[in-house]
Amino acid sequence: MVDIELLKKVVEAPGVSGYEFMGIRDVVIEELKPVVDEIKVDKLGNVIAHKKGNGPKVMIAAHMDKIGVMVNHIDKEGYLHVVPVGGVDPRTLVAQRIRFFTEKGERYGIVGHIPPHLQKPEDRKKAADWDTVVVDVGADSKEEAEEMGFRVGTIGEFAPAFTRLNENRIATPYLDDRVCLYTMIEAAKAIENHEADIYFVASVQEEVGLRGARVASYAIDPEIGIAMDVTFAKQVGDKGKIVPKLGGGPVMDVGPNINPKVRAFADEVAKKYEIPLQVEASPRPTGTDANIMQINREGVATAVLSVPIRYMHSQVETADLRDIDLTIKLAKHLLEELRPMDLTP
Amino acid sequence: MVDYELLKKIVEAPGVSGYEFLGVRDVVIEAFKPYVDEIKVDKLGNVIAHKKGNGPKVMLAAHMDQIGLMVTHIEKNGFLRVAPVGGIDPRTLIAQRFKVWIDKDKFIYGVGGSVPPHIQKPEDRNKAPTWEQIFIDIGAESKEEAEEMGVKIGTIITWDGRLERLGKHRLVSIAFDDRIAVYTLVKTAQELSETEADIYFVATVQEEVGLRGARVSAFGIDPDYGFAIDVTIAADVPGTPEHKHVTQLGKGTAIKIMDRSVICHPTIVRWMEELAKKYEIPYQWDILLGGGTDAGAIHLNKAGVPTGAISVPSRYIHSNAEVVDERDVDASVKLMVKVLEHIGELEI
């Protein structure tokens, strides 16, 4: 069963790329420390938790950074102008609340919206872009905004809005990738007997270029690398291109980024424990930490384990609790069952 | 003259990026075996063939992966929807035959459907197809039937292509990019006489999806010098002005100066030119603004590797009918042999 309280805590802890120290890092350390042998934070801020074993060295990574915004200008009327950190669609920000982390504590801002009454007919068809997204923090002047603690470089993220849709579905900002981070934490807690030498990594700066996983995998030098990241679930407007569906269970990719031996092993484990496993084709290197892990040093046998979600990179990312539960089980069993094996594709 | 039988085996074996194990890997291992001391396959599937020596450590790379398609989903009525692995122009898929790889060395046929001109709207006749319009017909009437035939999400597809002679000196085939270079690599190993060089011949994987095999193999080998062999564009065809030919068929091996992934070490470029002149090997220059090669990954390994590259000029690359000139292939082999025989004299 999914621990909703912990999931919510993990989802809501602050930590835009590069600023994971603002909250999520301590949550991860607090949760993982009791169940691992060693835990450390590296120079980029990755949390690396080591659960020792004599078997194959495996790195399992879920990124703890979030997409967000950064203030790049405060104008004389007190409005904040922001730039994206990671892939934020400016259209998702209109008429939304943003939670900022200022020198004087947490502050909210809102992105204004031009009332339909005042819009010209041709403007109604235009999408918001970064020039039109302006944040109102309640200040009437630059000085007042600065007095409130805002400055160039202040970090903001989507305001928390954890919503239970029904028995099985939740919607909230930042399931990417906190739902997988939560899943990895639960798997770490659930593991009993294992041979594998396991490194749990809560990686930083994935959203700005897989940077945390790059340095963590260099330091760890694993044989096997598993990225836990969200993937797309069937949704409106997907033109039938998306195969995995909400409630269908965890998803694992196939493609050049995936070692076929590790993937076949995952199939066996899923079958043994009767966990439905969905497949997704990834003809290119994936947009996950597995991309950079695969080309670490002399090469790593990589795979991706995903919780499917709808509406990725929005405030209403939606997941199914049954998928989360099954993904925890699959991650636990994969790590428990791992034995030395030939990893040649 | 090329060894036609060997070349045929190398170009016709399947091996789309990440799926080199479907066929080409075994062909390459077999081909290198008589000429090297040790062969290993690494965790990404690179074939690393080592010919030991006491001189400089040299890595030679030619990528054995080819572009292809991957099944992304199967329609209710049995048609396959696909996505490109590597850079594929959807226009090259219309009205083509395909091999759908069910398993290692086991395939079924498929065809890339086309809309008969009779039922096309006049305005559609000038439009290139998009990926959303591409499908592969394997003869199945339902999703279930396609699955019974062995097709799954992730199944790999290649053009149904083969090697043929074309005119007096030319050859046409699927996958000359980059199997003609893999062939060049094997022939280089075969024709090499005395050399002190410590040579690693690497048939790399996953070049077409980002130079990934070369990156990890270079890390493991840690070479003093790197050389990549790849194809380059020969746009010496009607409608292309001479200054945009890049290279021309039959004018020799192309010594790379630059592409989007690498600026070749200028000392190596000059030295290769001197060797070509000395041994009367026909050569031309390769400056390519689009596309990269394994040299791009190798020269950035660890603290940096002086790297050069040669290219076999090829027309119509990334299609089912790539054309090369066997005189250029022979010249490429000769130059690589001389590079290895004289590598001890190279001063950077």
Side-chain angles (χ1 to χ4, degrees):
Chain A
M1 285 301 290
V2 175
D3 176 347
I4 298 286
E5 279 316 301
L6 179 59
L7 174 59
K8 187 167 181 287
K9 186 175 170 188
V10 170
V11 162
E12 293 185 352
V16 170
S17 308
Y19 296 82
E20 299 82 1
F21 58 83
M22 286 182 160
I24 187 62
R25 187 166 85 195
D26 289 346
V27 174
V28 172
I29 293 170
E30 186 190 314
E31 294 297 325
L32 283 180
K33 203 169 196 174
V35 297
V36 297
D37 299 308
E38 250 171 38
I39 194 158
K40 68 163 199 170
V41 178
D42 75 8
K43 285 206 275 293
L44 262 68
N46 291 300
V47 175
I48 301 175
H50 187 189
K51 199 169 170 66
K52 290 178 184 169
N54 299 315
K57 197 196 276 187
V58 57
M59 166 173 164
I60 182 159
H63 70 88
M64 63 173 163
D65 62 317
K66 300 172 161 178
I67 57 174
V69 295
M70 182 184 276
V71 175
N72 75 328
H73 179 66
I74 304 171
D75 68 27
K76 52 179 188 294
E77 292 173 89
Y79 290 112
L80 310 186
H81 298 253
V82 296
V83 291
V85 180
V88 178
D89 181 342
R91 290 173 298 182
T92 62
L93 294 177
V94 174
Q96 294 281 346
R97 295 182 310 140
I98 297 180
R99 176 199 198 189
F100 286 98
F101 305 94
T102 75
E103 289 173 335
K104 297 182 177 171
E106 220 174 285
R107 290 275 190 188
Y108 280 82
I110 52 99
V111 177
H113 169 246
I114 299 166
H117 322 69
L118 304 180
Q119 287 178 30
K120 289 182 198 147
E122 63 267 30
D123 289 341
R124 289 186 195 158
K125 291 182 177 167
K126 282 185 198 152
D129 60 19
W130 289 105
D131 291 333
T132 58
V133 168
V134 175
V135 186
D136 184 342
V137 293
D140 282 330
S141 67
K142 185 177 181 188
E143 291 65 34
E144 193 182 344
E146 285 171 349
E147 187 55 34
M148 288 168 73
F150 288 101
R151 43 173 282 184
V152 170
T154 296
I155 285 290
E157 53 183 61
F158 299 146
F162 195 100
T163 307
R164 185 100 183 227
L165 295 175
N166 62 15
E167 193 191 341
N168 295 319
R169 303 272 165 90
I170 53 163
T172 173
Y174 299 123
L175 287 174
D176 180 3
D177 190 27
R178 297 291 175 77
V179 69
C180 288
L181 183 62
Y182 163 79
T183 302
M184 185 178 81
I185 290 168
E186 291 288 23
K189 290 178 181 174
I191 284 173
E192 290 159 43
N193 301 315
H194 65 101
E195 266 187 33
D197 192 33
I198 310 167
Y199 289 82
F200 297 98
V201 179
S203 61
V204 297
Q205 301 195 32
E206 192 269 356
E207 298 287 1
V208 292
L210 319 179
R211 301 163 86 114
R214 175 167 171 157
V215 300
S217 58
Y218 187 90
I220 294 166
D221 192 14
E223 292 164 64
I224 297 171
I226 300 171
M228 294 192 65
D229 208 335
V230 291
T231 193
F232 304 103
K234 269 188 197 303
Q235 66 164 76
V236 288
D238 69 6
K239 294 178 183 165
K241 278 183 178 172
I242 298 174
V243 176
K245 54 179 196 280
L246 286 192
V251 183
M252 289 188 78
D253 292 16
V254 292
N257 197 177
I258 309 304
N259 180 285
K261 295 275 173 66
V262 175
R263 188 62 185 74
F265 164 74
D267 270 335
E268 277 170 36
V269 173
K271 203 169 167 188
K272 181 172 169 185
Y273 293 96
E274 296 177 341
I275 298 167
L277 181 52
Q278 308 191 79
V279 187
E280 177 185 37
S282 287
R284 285 168 285 278
T286 62
T288 73
D289 282 341
N291 179 333
I292 198 73
M293 279 196 266
Q294 186 185 31
I295 52 176
N296 181 55
R297 293 185 183 237
E298 283 190 68
V300 175
T302 43
V304 182
L305 174 57
S306 301
V307 173
I309 66 166
R310 288 179 184 161
Y311 323 122
M312 198 183 291
H313 282 207
S314 80
Q315 294 90 330
V316 293
E317 294 181 333
T318 300
D320 191 300
L321 296 173
R322 294 167 296 186
D323 296 334
I324 301 171
D325 193 40
L326 289 167
T327 307
I328 296 167
K329 287 201 175 79
L330 184 55
K332 163 189 148 77
H333 291 304
L334 283 175
L335 294 169
E336 283 180 343
E337 301 268 328
L338 204 55
R339 297 290 179 275
M341 60 170 155
D342 175 18
L343 294 167
T344 311
Chain B
M1 287 289 287
V2 295
D3 177 344
Y4 193 83
E5 284 315 304
L6 174 64
L7 180 58
K8 190 174 172 64
K9 271 192 223 159
I10 292 175
V11 292
E12 293 183 4
V16 171
S17 310
Y19 293 82
E20 299 81 3
F21 58 83
L22 284 175
V24 67
R25 186 167 84 196
D26 288 348
V27 172
V28 169
I29 291 172
E30 205 52 43
F32 271 117
K33 228 173 211 168
Y35 314 111
V36 297
D37 302 306
E38 237 174 51
I39 296 185
K40 73 161 197 173
V41 179
D42 71 12
K43 281 206 280 295
L44 264 68
N46 291 299
V47 174
I48 302 174
H50 186 192
K51 185 179 165 66
K52 292 177 183 169
N54 298 316
K57 200 195 278 185
V58 188
M59 169 174 172
L60 267 65
H63 70 89
M64 64 173 162
D65 61 315
Q66 67 189 122
I67 55 173
L69 302 172
M70 177 179 277
V71 174
T72 53
H73 70 278
I74 307 171
E75 302 262 352
K76 279 198 204 76
N77 48 10
F79 292 102
L80 310 183
R81 291 293 194 163
V82 294
V85 182
I88 290 190
D89 179 344
R91 287 174 295 188
T92 62
L93 304 175
I94 298 298
Q96 290 277 335
R97 289 169 198 240
F98 294 95
K99 287 178 174 174
V100 179
W101 294 93
I102 299 308
D103 209 341
K104 202 173 168 180
D105 298 318
K106 191 180 158 203
F107 67 86
I108 57 175
Y109 283 106
V111 297
S114 64
V115 181
H118 319 70
I119 58 169
Q120 280 178 28
K121 289 182 200 146
E123 64 268 30
D124 288 341
R125 288 187 196 157
N126 295 324
K127 282 184 198 151
T130 63
W131 281 101
E132 276 167 27
Q133 293 167 320
I134 297 292
F135 56 83
I136 307 290
D137 183 345
I138 54 168
E141 289 181 339
S142 67
K143 186 178 177 197
E144 292 66 35
E145 190 182 340
E147 285 169 348
E148 271 167 38
M149 290 164 80
V151 178
K152 296 183 285 205
I153 287 171
T155 291
I156 287 293
I157 299 175
T158 59
W159 282 295
D160 174 26
R162 60 191 183 278
L163 178 67
E164 302 279 8
R165 286 201 171 273
L166 194 70
K168 208 156 136 194
H169 299 292
R170 309 251 158 105
L171 300 153
V172 56
S173 179
I174 183 176
F176 270 150
D177 180 2
D178 191 30
R179 302 288 175 72
I180 195 65
V182 173
Y183 168 87
T184 302
L185 202 63
V186 171
K187 288 298 281 183
T188 301
Q190 195 180 331
E191 291 182 12
L192 198 59
S193 54
E194 279 309 294
T195 170
E196 52 175 344
D198 190 34
I199 309 167
Y200 290 83
F201 297 99
V202 185
T204 59
V205 296
Q206 300 199 31
E207 191 270 353
E208 297 286 1
V209 291
L211 321 181
R212 298 169 73 85
R215 176 166 162 159
V216 300
S217 52
F219 189 95
I221 293 164
D222 195 12
D224 298 318
Y225 301 113
F227 292 91
I229 312 175
D230 210 324
V231 294
T232 190
I233 308 283
D236 53 339
V237 295
T240 309
E242 204 174 343
H243 69 280
K244 288 191 172 165
H245 284 176
V246 187
T247 61
Q248 297 177 341
L249 289 196
K251 296 282 171 68
T253 187
I255 300 172
K256 186 179 291 291
I257 296 174
M258 182 181 88
D259 64 28
R260 219 173 54 193
S261 69
V262 65
I263 294 167
C264 290
H265 198 288
T267 307
I268 291 185
V269 172
R270 268 201 311 278
W271 178 72
M272 287 171 83
E273 184 187 20
E274 280 163 27
L275 284 175
K277 278 182 177 161
K278 184 174 172 188
Y279 293 100
E280 296 177 341
I281 301 166
Y283 70 96
Q284 50 191 325
W285 297 114
D286 179 24
I287 299 172
L288 191 60
L289 294 180
T293 59
D294 282 342
I298 299 167
H299 85 294
L300 293 177
N301 185 54
K302 296 195 179 181
V305 180
T307 298
I310 60 164
S311 304
V312 179
S314 175
R315 288 181 187 159
Y316 326 123
I317 67 168
H318 285 212
S319 82
N320 193 20
E322 301 179 343
V323 172
V324 301
D325 188 303
E326 66 178 334
R327 293 169 298 185
D328 300 337
V329 181
D330 288 343
S332 300
V333 174
K334 276 193 192 118
L335 184 57
M336 280 326 297
V337 168
K338 292 302 167 197
V339 161
L340 291 173
E341 286 175 355
H342 291 271
I343 196 81
E345 301 156 19
L346 178 59
E347 279 175 29
I348 295 292

